[in-house]
Each structure stands twice: as C-alpha cells, then as structure tokens.
Amino acid sequence: MTIFKVAAHAALGVYAGAVLWSGPAEAELTLTRDEVIRRVLEASPTLEAARARVAEYEAAILQADIRPNPTVGAELENFTGTGPFTGLDRTELTVTYAQQFERGNKRSLRTKLAREEARIGEGEWHIQRLDLIHTAEKAYVDVVAARTRLDQLTTQAAILKDIEGAIRARMEAGKDSELAVQNAHIRYLNASNLVANAEQELMAAKVSLAGLWGADATAVSVDAGQGFKLPAALVPMTEASVAGSPDLAIWDLREAALEASLSLEKAKSVQDPTVRVGVRYHQDTSDVAAVAGVSIPLALYDTNQGNIRRARAAVSRNMYERADRERTLIRQLGLAHARQRAAFTAARQLSGSLQAAEDAKALVLERMDKGAASYLDVFAAQSLLADIETQRIAALTQFHLAQADINRLTAIHSTDATMPATTMSGAEVQVGPEGN
C-alpha cells in the first residue's frame, strides 16, 4: 500500500465513517427518537399509576357530592321506677327520624374542591409524561453519541493500521526505521483499546435506554446518522416560551383548588341545623302523638377561623411558589439555550476545521512520499484530525442534550397530549413534533 492510498483512506474514512455507520446487525431493531419515546410511554408504569391516582380523585368527587345520612332514633321512657311508674303500664316509646341540613353551600363547595383536585391529578399526569420523554430523549442522545464515538474510533484504528502497514513497507524499502514501525504499532494498539472501551460505553448506554421499556439492550440500535444532525438555525427562546408549560399550569390548578378549599372552610363556619320528627306511643292510654324538634350548634368557641386563616395563607404561599417556579423555568431555559448556542457554534466551526485538517493531512502524506516529511508529521496530522472530530462529536452531543432540556422546559411534547380515560387499559400515546 502506498502512502497515497493511506491518504485516500483517511480522507474518506474519518469524515464519513465517524458520523455514519454501516448499519446494525439483522437481529437489532433500529429505532428513531420518536419510536423510543413511544415505547417508553407505552411501557411506563408511572403513567398508569398517575391515571390510577386520577381515578382516586374521581371517586372522591362522587363521595363529596353525597349529602349527610339521616339518623333514626328510639327512646323508651318510664319503663321502670317507683310509685305509679312501677311496672310497664306508663311506658312511653318515641321513634324519631333526624336529618342534618347543610347550610352555606357546603355540598357544592366540597364537590368543587374535589373536582379541582382531580384536575391537579391530570396536570401531574402531563408533567410525569414530559419527564419520561425528557429521560428517553437524553438516553437516546447518549446512545447516538456512544455509537458515533465508536464509529470514529473504529475508523481511526483502521487508518492507523493502514499507516502502520505503509510505514512497514517503507522500512522494508529502506526509507524508514524499525522504530517508526514500532511507534505506528503502539499507536494502533492504543486505538484498538479505545475502540474496546467505546464498545463497552455503547453497551452501557443501550442498557440504560432499553431499560426504560424493559427491552434487551443487545437487540436495540439507533440511527446515528439521522440522530446527530444540526438545524440550519437556532429557534429563539424567550420568557414566553415557558408560559404554557404544564409546570406552571399545575400551580394555577393548585391555586384554584386552594381557593375552593378556602371557600369551603368559610362555609364550614356556618352551623348546620338538625331537624327531627317522630311519633310517641303511650302505653297507659294506647295513644300515639307526633313529636318534632330542631337543634343547631352554638358558635361560641369553634368558628373555624383557624382553618380559614390556614387556607388563606396556603393561597398566598402557592402564589409565591408559582412565581419562584416560573423564574426557575426561565433561568433554566436561558441556560439550556446558552449551552445549545455554544455547542451549535462550536460544531459549525469544527466542521470547517475538520475539512482544513483533512487537507493538511493529505499534504503531509504527499510530502512524505517525496521524502519531505517524516512519519511523525503523519501521526501529528492524523492526531489533529482525530482530536477535531472528537471535539465535534462532543459539541453535537451537548447540542442535542441541550435540545432535550429545551423540549422539556417548553413542553413541546405536550401540545397534542390527552390523558386517556381511566377506564381504558394501556396509555394512549401521542408524540409531539420534532424539536431538532
């Protein structure tokens, strides 16, 4: 092999082979990002648990809408005593039916509170869904990055082996020393070790990804070529980008529930009367008489003021916590966008540097064939090329990890998500539009 063949191999292999790979084995299942998200959501017990929690809230609504049970009572009087009350002749039996009447609109307020709490349960389902998608996206990016890194190192090892063969041929022709061959061989062995390490890192990333839906990691692969593309331009982010996030909407739902709770506590300060009606049977005359009565608690001590103050304070607390959460989301979005912008710029610049490094290496190889450069110059050029590609892969990884964070913070995957009815089996899954 001539040194020009090595150059051709390097120029084509590093640039194309580092990003694109030949394809998985036939037994592997190649998944896109959207397919990964769909599988994670379909297999998630977390979402099923959230749906079951909503079913709990729905049962609470049913219970809250029920009025108090009536009471049936019986009293037996004068059934024993002294004098004329000896024996059962003057016994009186009274049977009553009593019903408590709720005042202050308690029943409807109690039901409203239960409905607001059920809406909170639905909001939590959306948040947990977004968290799962975020985890799936980042795990997918990790696998793509590990796959791309392995492809780059595999190509690098193949190039170094070709260079070793070319230097060995030059040694046999008397143009290089045995020391140069040993140097080339050591570099190839080091590259082979890096490939082995990269294979382990890829398997670890696949285990993490496949474990999200309980799949066999050895049967899962990703489309690295499609997964690591850069957009033509970045999408600008503003404070309004998080305005419709379920992370903020949940605080609005909690505020509505706390307001409903406050109204209910105020209603509880209104005392509820109990009305009784019944009949009384007189043993001595065998006559029956109607009886009636009403009772109502006196609000001398307990007027529920403590609970009212607590509910009012909870409303204020929720308002401040929502403001803090909104500020945190805006700050996190700004940081994620800054990281993405830096990675985007670096990846674009490194792509240009990569082409320049390839041209420089081709020139070194050409000069070496003419005796104007040494094998050390070849290794230096190859090392620079590999370093630039490594940095480029790292920049692409950071870009897509930041994009996953942005997708989560802006809730891009929640725009078309509807929580399935709790009577359904299995989670209905809808994947949002591409964020990249």
Side-chain angles (χ1 to χ4, degrees):
M1 175 182 290
T2 68
I3 205 70
F4 291 105
K5 290 184 179 179
V6 175
H9 185 94
L12 294 175
V14 173
Y15 188 72
V19 178
L20 301 176
W21 56 293
S22 58
E26 291 184 1
E28 290 184 333
L29 178 64
T30 302
L31 299 175
T32 64
R33 188 200 63 171
D34 285 352
E35 288 169 343
V36 165
I37 292 174
R38 177 180 60 81
R39 288 172 181 270
V40 170
L41 295 182
E42 286 179 344
S44 171
T46 300
L47 291 184
E48 290 301 312
R51 289 178 56 213
R53 190 177 301 113
V54 171
E56 294 178 27
Y57 287 127
E58 291 176 350
I61 294 173
L62 177 65
Q63 183 63 34
D65 196 36
I66 297 175
R67 64 187 63 194
N69 285 326
T71 302
V72 175
E75 288 186 15
L76 186 64
E77 302 176 69
N78 304 331
F79 61 91
T80 187
T82 61
F85 296 101
T86 302
L88 300 176
D89 293 340
R90 305 191 66 173
T91 299
E92 295 180 6
L93 175 63
T94 305
V95 178
T96 59
Y97 176 94
Q99 176 68 58
Q100 183 186 53
F101 292 90
E102 292 185 307
R103 298 169 61 225
N105 208 24
K106 290 187 182 69
R107 180 183 172 192
S108 62
L109 290 175
R110 189 169 58 240
T111 305
K112 179 181 179 182
L113 174 58
R115 292 187 187 280
E116 296 296 346
E117 289 176 341
R119 293 179 63 200
I120 292 175
E122 294 181 10
E124 290 173 343
W125 179 88
H126 283 282
I127 289 176
Q128 290 174 342
R129 179 180 181 274
L130 288 174
D131 288 340
L132 282 171
I133 293 175
H134 184 225
T135 300
E137 280 194 297
K138 299 195 84 167
Y140 177 81
V141 171
D142 287 340
V143 174
V144 173
R147 175 78 257 184
T148 306
R149 177 64 174 158
L150 174 60
D151 293 338
Q152 182 223 2
L153 292 173
T154 301
T155 301
Q156 170 77 355
I159 292 173
L160 290 175
K161 185 171 182 61
D162 286 345
I163 292 177
E164 177 190 354
I167 293 176
R168 187 179 298 278
R170 286 173 59 86
M171 181 197 70
E172 293 172 353
K175 295 181 179 181
D176 268 317
S177 65
E178 186 176 352
L179 179 62
V181 175
Q182 291 178 351
N183 191 329
H185 184 63
I186 291 173
R187 289 175 183 270
Y188 166 68
L189 291 179
N190 182 62
S192 299
N193 291 335
L194 292 177
V195 169
N197 292 337
E199 289 174 345
Q200 295 300 318
E201 291 175 0
L202 174 59
M203 180 53 63
K206 290 169 69 174
V207 168
S208 178
L209 177 65
L212 293 176
W213 68 90
D216 180 7
T218 60
V220 173
S221 186
V222 297
D223 189 347
Q226 295 296 321
F228 255 19
K229 290 183 177 181
L230 282 178
L234 293 179
V235 177
M237 294 291 156
T238 64
E239 294 183 3
S241 301
V242 300
S245 169
D247 295 287
L248 290 181
I250 193 71
W251 291 98
D252 297 331
L253 295 174
R254 288 169 181 164
E255 179 181 358
L258 290 172
E259 291 284 2
S261 177
L262 175 59
S263 298
L264 179 59
E265 294 299 337
K266 289 179 179 179
K268 286 180 180 180
S269 66
V270 179
Q271 305 304 315
D272 300 328
T274 300
V275 176
R276 297 189 311 277
V277 296
V279 294
R280 179 173 294 166
Y281 173 74
H282 297 266
Q283 177 70 24
D284 57 347
T285 62
S286 297
D287 292 323
V288 176
V291 297
V294 61
S295 64
I296 186 168
L298 295 177
L300 296 180
Y301 307 110
D302 184 6
T303 58
N304 208 38
Q305 290 305 306
N307 286 332
I308 292 173
R309 291 182 181 181
R310 178 185 57 80
R312 186 177 288 116
V315 172
S316 298
R317 171 182 54 80
N318 184 82
M319 178 183 66
Y320 291 116
E321 288 179 343
R322 184 197 185 282
D324 180 70
R325 181 56 178 162
E326 182 176 15
R327 183 177 299 173
T328 299
L329 288 175
I330 293 172
R331 180 178 60 84
Q332 291 176 341
L333 180 61
L335 290 174
H337 190 57
R339 292 198 309 269
Q340 187 186 51
R341 185 168 56 248
F344 179 80
T345 302
R348 295 280 292 268
Q349 292 174 344
L350 288 167
S351 294
S353 299
L354 187 65
Q355 184 59 53
E358 287 179 344
D359 295 341
K361 180 183 174 182
L363 179 60
V364 169
L365 293 174
E366 183 178 351
R367 294 184 64 185
M368 185 176 178
D369 265 359
K370 296 178 180 179
S374 69
Y375 73 92
L376 293 177
D377 296 321
V378 175
F379 286 133
Q382 177 60 36
S383 178
L384 176 62
L385 188 62
D387 287 345
I388 292 174
E389 182 60 21
T390 298
Q391 294 176 47
R392 180 175 176 272
I393 293 174
L396 287 170
T397 302
Q398 291 304 311
F399 174 87
H400 287 285
L401 288 175
Q403 182 64 58
D405 290 339
I406 290 172
N407 290 347
R408 172 62 185 87
L409 292 167
T410 58
I412 191 172
H413 293 288
S414 70
T415 55
D416 58 354
T418 302
M419 192 189 73
T422 54
T423 56
M424 293 175 59
S425 60
E428 178 181 332
V429 177
Q430 297 185 24
V431 177
E434 285 281 346
N436 298 349

